[in-house]
Amino acid sequence: MSARRLSSFLSRSLRLPSASVPLGRSNGVARQIHRFSTAAAVEELITPPVQVEYTKLLINGQFVDSASGKTFPTLDPRTGEVIANVAEGDLEDVNRAVAAARKAFDEGPWPKMSAYERSRIMLKFADLVEKHTDELAALETWDNGKPYLQAAQAEVPSFVRLFRYYAGWADKIHGLTVPADGPHHVQTLHEPIGVAGQIIPWNFPLLMFAWKVGPALACGNTIVLKTAEQTPLTALYVTNLFHEAGLPPGVLNIVSGFGPTAGAALASHMDVDKLAFTGSTETGQTVLQLAARSNLKHVTLELGGKSPFIICEDADIDHAVELAHFALFFNQGQCCCAGSRTYVHERVYDEFLEKAKARAMKRVVGDPFKKGVEQGPQIDSEQFQKILRYIRAGRDSSATLECGGDKIGSKGYFIQPTVFSNVKEDMSIAQDEIFGPVQCVFKFKDIGEVLKRANNTRYGLAAGVFTKNIDTANTLTRGLRAGTVWVNCYDVFDAGIPFGGYKMSGMGREKGIYSLSNYLQVKAVVTPLRNPAWI
């Protein structure tokens, strides 16, 4: 898309009208519930400015039909209508893909070529992706429902940055020499682990592709990647660009399909050396069991979260409201690290709550291709209904529904931004990962109390701390049992910053130098020294 066409495309915007109707009174204070227009979100939808070109499996450098000939539809979450029918891979297709990856690793040039050459191919690929930003962003928005500007201005550039980052690592991976207590020369070699199986989720299809594929290729491995059945299109598109950049056949294979068939086959495959999975904790447990029961392959898991966002009494409330809003509602609330438990000090609780509710009521929900829209639809009917069930559970409990709480429109998967107050720790909306636009606000008295409550969860993926006091920040960041703690910011993701969880939020780390160890074996080589000058 040209710059002029892009400008014209983005200029067509629709700001959704909204109104408030009384919900009732609590302690003498009128509460309002936000009602969105039921028509504006789904009428006059923009036709996505991109064509679907790749719908087959990618095995050994070729786009091929599934062995069974089956396909499945990938849907537009704005309407629930079919975008395209995609080849449905299963056990036989996984076997074909793993065989291609194994041959490419054992006999092919990728692990044997110089690290510098691998780096050059990865850099050329990043350049090609950058040239196709508009098409990729449109395809990601169409298949996933995220705002187009989010995809175009943040996610595709981050994808490119990640591949350039890992291209830079390719020729800097090396071992050590180790002093021994005798006349021996000892060295360690860092070798590629082999065939990597990778299973990515639907909430950030492009970024999860980069988090997995970038370090694996930099280390010299070959890959079989299973896309999420909800969002298979962008992985197929960019893999075609990878081969244009010079990636040898069989190094990167893409199988689109479902978890119980293609995913299970990959996790339990005896010729896969390493498995990386991002998704729900429950599915992660199944993946780990399958890996253990097969060939005890190495496994890394990036799983669910129920992250606390702690707002202290010294906070700038307006800033804290905006940051907490972003921490929860970004990407339709479909983030594993979403700040879904908002803890607010009792001295600023009332002010924060009123402003948080007002901010949620102003959030623009609608066609993600339209300029000004902050929130698109949820991914699919299953997730849509799950979120609405949690909202009903919150309403049926003693939590107070401050705003939202309902769907928008008669088609598609749009949900009102929802805020609950007076949330108790034992409620399902406080314990479970909702993965949707539902903010739960809690009140706390002191740092010791909130630290204990924040850690009282089976998850430990991320946390946020909002304070001006360095001592408070240090106490909380050291005490929180989470893999990432953001202080006076949230969702800051850089190629070099490691990401992963404590407890049931997973094992291992993505991104940065730490991710390289997921795809390397360490070999010790010991050689006797005869009459050494020194040892």
Side-chain angles (χ1 to χ4, degrees), residues 381-400:
S381 177
E382 181 180 354
Q383 186 65 20
F384 175 75
Q385 294 298 336
K386 172 190 171 184
I387 295 166
L388 292 176
R389 285 196 300 272
Y390 274 111
I391 291 173
R392 287 194 294 271
R395 298 181 73 161
D396 292 341
S397 68
S398 59
T400 302

Side-chain angles (χ1 to χ4, degrees), residues 94 196-205 208-209 211-213 223-230 253-255 257-269 272 274-280 283-284 286-288 290-291 297 299-303 510 519:
V94 169
Q198 302 179 329
I199 302 174
I200 61 174
W202 47 259
N203 57 336
F204 294 96
M208 295 301 99
F209 180 102
W211 286 22
K212 298 288 189 292
V213 172
I223 299 168
V224 177
L225 182 141
K226 190 197 89 67
T227 57
E229 58 267 27
Q230 297 90 342
N253 306 274
I254 306 293
V255 177
F258 295 86
T261 50
L266 190 59
S268 57
H269 204 288
V272 170
K274 187 267 182 300
L275 189 72
F277 170 82
T278 295
S280 72
T283 304
T286 300
V287 164
L288 189 59
L290 292 172
K297 57 179 65 67
V299 178
T300 50
L301 303 170
E302 195 260 283
L303 306 177
E510 308 269 3
Y519 296 97

Side-chain angles (χ1 to χ4, degrees), residues 127-142:
D127 291 344
L128 288 171
V129 169
E130 197 166 45
K131 292 178 181 178
H132 292 269
T133 293
D134 296 338
E135 298 98 309
L136 274 169
L139 202 57
E140 190 86 331
T141 295
W142 194 8

